[in-house]
Amino acid sequence: MTVALTAVSDSGRTWHLTQQVGSGSEGVVYRVDDERPLVVKLVLDPPDPAAYRRRVVRLVRRRRLPRAVRVLSATPARVAWPMAPVRAGGPGDHGMDGYLMTDMRHTHQPFTRLLTPRAARTFFPGATWATALAASLSLARLLADLHTEGYVVGDLKPDNLWVDARGRAGIADVDSWQFTDGEELFPGRMSSPGHTAPERIAAPGTAPDRASDDFVLAVLVHQLLMCGLHPFAGHPGAGGDYLSYDDNVLHGRCRLLDRASVVLPRSAPPVDLLPRRLAVLFRAAFGGVRPAASVWAEALAAESDPARLRTCRKNVLHVHTAERPWCPWCDLAERGADDRWPLTASDPSSRTDGARNLVDASEGKDTEEDTA
């Protein structure tokens, strides 16, 4: 959608917005007429406009603090951090507040494309299970870094995340995070069905914390490693209608916790596709003391060691844990399931194998340039 909007920063700098490229529950994202990869997010109707403007101003200021360097000093950028607060409006429009940020589409693709088998085959044609493992590791490291710096994401979900062909994860919608600046708390405001911790589902309005982020991280890692399968998917094993992921979360219906609690189709990836070390962490995350993001990162790094992976002799894109003596992807295909990692190239040697996908997922060290 082509638009005719102008965004102006507090310093008076002007950006022309040329095209709507995204939208969500709170805001709309527009491409900027600039040679650099930049976009502007505008929030249409924040509950407290003054508080929202103050939040963005604080985030922009914090971007230049030494403690933000660890999060932002990566190439490609891991975070679409606010660079400058802006206010925009067009003919007949009232003003809208927002901010300038890096356009993650320049280096990444939407995270959902790696979760959906058909989309992954289209947008990540060289991907293997090792790519999903690398993305899990990168996401865990990113979240651990954010927690270390005092941020709680709160609304951690696929729609806010990005990933590149090497499995390097990125995140956007920084303006919804929870953080403290000085003595002022800027609370987390959002949550999303299917990616919310049980305590926040049971008590809507409950503030997020690291533990609630850690629960959603485990959900996302499960989805990555299990071909998009949500850990709380399935019809209730005791009978009755399936209502939602959140209903299953509240009632503890999870195959990893109790195989009889849900009914899944035969095409679902088997539980033993997961390395035992990760299965233990999943059970703790969903039914016990939740592992922190840093613990997930350590375990995923260990499982990412090429020595812990095997490649199928029939299909070099069928990569799996060394704990499996035979290929789980071939097993699923024999059951009639679609091949999650089909070999379509005429030259298999040109495709990405497991070891190549596991190039260190800890982002680079180059410092992001100031562009605002």
Side-chain angles (χ1 to χ4, degrees), residues 192-205:
S192 297
H195 295 90
T196 302
E199 64 273 16
R200 297 189 70 201
I201 298 172

Side-chain angles (χ1 to χ4, degrees), residues 356-369:
R356 196 180 308 157
N357 265 312
L358 288 167
V359 175
D360 186 10
S362 61
E363 284 56 40
K365 303 299 183 182
D366 295 334
T367 301
E368 181 189 56
E369 296 181 359

Side-chain angles (χ1 to χ4, degrees), residues 63 66-83 101-109 111 134-149 151 153 156-157 160-164 167-174 177 293-294 297 360-369:
R63 177 174 176 263
R67 64 182 303 174
V69 170
R70 183 181 180 189
V71 175
L72 297 177
S73 59
T75 303
R78 295 192 291 170
V79 184
W81 199 278
M83 296 176 176
M101 62 180 175
T102 298
D103 186 354
M104 298 296 284
R105 297 174 308 148
H106 183 67
T107 51
H108 295 72
Q109 297 201 47
F111 193 83
S136 299
L137 171 57
S138 182
L139 179 59
R141 285 176 170 169
L142 174 56
L143 186 62
D145 285 348
L146 294 177
H147 285 175
T148 296
E149 300 307 327
Y151 297 99
V153 176
L156 185 62
K157 61 182 179 180
N160 291 347
L161 298 172
W162 299 83
V163 66
D164 71 4
R168 293 177 296 190
I171 190 168
D173 287 348
V174 179
W177 293 359
S294 58
D360 186 10
S362 61
E363 284 56 40
K365 303 299 183 182
D366 295 334
T367 301
E368 181 189 56
E369 296 181 359

Side-chain angles (χ1 to χ4, degrees), residues 55 64 112 139 216 242 290 347:
R55 173 188 290 265
R64 302 182 182 278
T112 51
L139 179 59
V216 182
Y242 167 81
R290 295 171 193 163
D347 179 8

Side-chain angles (χ1 to χ4, degrees), residues 152 182 252 284 297 318:
V152 173
H318 283 185

